[in-house]
Amino acid sequence: MHRVTLIPGDGVGPEVTEATRRVLEATGVLFDWDVQDAGEEVYQREGTPLPERVIESIRRNRVALKGPITTPVGTGFRSVNVLLRQSLDLYACVRPCKSYPGAKTRYEGIDIVIIRENTEDLYAGIEFEKGSEVARSLIEFIHSRTGRQIRHDSGISIKPISVYGTERIVRFAFEYARRNGRRKVTAVHKANIMKYSDGLFLEVARGVAGDYPDIEFEDRIVDNMCMQLVQKPELYDVLVLPNLYGDIISDLAAGLIGGLGIAPGANIGDDYAVFEATHGSAPKYKGLNKVNPMAMMLSGVMMLRHLGEEEAADRLEASIASVIKEGRSVTYDMKPSPDDPTAATTSGVADAVIANLGL
Ligand code: NAD
């Protein structure tokens, strides 16, 4: 029996989470769910979208399955998701992008894993508003120390990249590659322009690579990486990236395999792991039983592997793959046309996946 924190989230979160809970239970693996609400309604009730009790539950259970959560706009809240990753030091975001035959995409045979650093870079949240006292003194300080003049009407975001943060994410990428029989790690950066942040990332990555002679290592400048991924994605295997590039390239790679509806993910630290789809709460589809639960289900497959339930993970992944291949019980985003009247519902996809599990 695995005790797991279950966060349905908001928007389409509860629908895709329920579909995922059902298919996970249908594998026969036993779960004791510790359900924790978070998100918009919780914000109305408890004054915060991410109460401490949610974080405490994950600390207790060490593993969570999480639906997407809307970041309330204009309330002064920073992203709930960023906060969660920082509170639990979930420093590695793992996003496998794998082609499933039958998925609607221009590409086939893609099998890339994106390892994104989750705690530093421009997402560290160290920002200064245009015209604020701190922004003004920072501008003056930089001018007095370097002679460089930043325009007074500038907003400023700081981009910290540390040796510590880089070393652990790159090591994580190589360990992941080793554990999963992968042959190559590519570090992605813009070291030619940002010498002291991305340059440091590249230098540290090269150093760590020396400890893994069995795995090939190379690096790519991020703009070139975008073009390469669109032109010859089959050349790439495991990518390791600082936070911002990792965020952007994750969506690009999701596009290569057929969209956000089938792009899973995990946020992993040394002590805790939170499994969630790459997509957000898609508020306009809330309550319609319409969106694709497969991204969340495939995040559930990753969770099963993390829990050591390899056989159940293989069966569930194979069942999802066969539903995709057959193309009948899939949601609108996987049909040839989005208004296809034969599109399955969110819960209908769960029914089909469960039916196939038994075959
Ligand atoms: P989104 O991913 O929620 O939706 C963008 C579009 O992608 C949708 O309109 C829909 O067309 C498509 N889409 C997304 N998920 C789908 C699915 N399962 N099946 C089919 N189509 C799907 O992105 P957004 O609109 O930029 O963000 C909405 C909210 O979600 C924001 O408040 C944002 O902060 C939040 N968000 C949360 C997370 C998270 O919880 N990890 C991640 C990203 C965004």
Side-chain angles (χ1 to χ4, degrees), residues 66 68-71 81 276 279-282 284-285 291-292 332:
K66 173 186 165 298
I69 296 179
T70 307
T71 296
N81 304 298
E276 63 176 339
H279 67 74
S281 57
K284 70 178 175 193
Y285 294 106
V291 299
N292 195 344
Y332 72 97

Side-chain angles (χ1 to χ4, degrees), residues 10-55:
D10 58 28
V12 297
E15 302 156 48
V16 294
T17 307
E18 175 58 14
T20 302
R21 187 188 60 74
R22 286 177 54 213
V23 300
L24 283 169
E25 288 178 356
T27 63
V29 173
L30 296 177
F31 290 97
D32 175 14
W33 303 110
D34 181 2
V35 179
Q36 295 287 338
D37 288 330
E40 266 183 326
E41 282 177 24
V42 170
Y43 170 62
Q44 309 295 341
R45 272 201 316 269
E46 301 181 41
T48 164
L50 184 70
E52 190 54 32
R53 61 172 167 77
V54 182
I55 294 176

Side-chain angles (χ1 to χ4, degrees), residues 3 11 21 30 61 86 120 122 127 137 154 165 177 183 214 234-235 237 248 270-271 284 290 298 305 308 323 329 352:
R3 187 159 169 82
R21 187 188 60 74
L30 296 177
N61 301 323
Q86 288 179 348
E120 304 199 309
L122 284 160
E127 300 204 283
S137 35
S154 302
R183 63 193 160 82
D214 48 322
E234 68 282 357
L235 294 185
D237 191 346
I248 297 168
D270 290 334
D271 301 317
K284 70 178 175 193
K290 181 170 173 165
L298 290 166
R305 295 197 198 288
V323 172
S329 302

Side-chain angles (χ1 to χ4, degrees), residues 256-291:
L256 298 178
I257 57 155
L260 285 172
I262 50 171
N267 296 294
I268 299 182
D270 290 334
D271 301 317
Y272 314 107
V274 176
F275 296 83
E276 63 176 339
T278 297
H279 67 74
S281 57
K284 70 178 175 193
Y285 294 106
K286 177 184 174 178
L288 301 181
N289 195 21
K290 181 170 173 165
V291 299

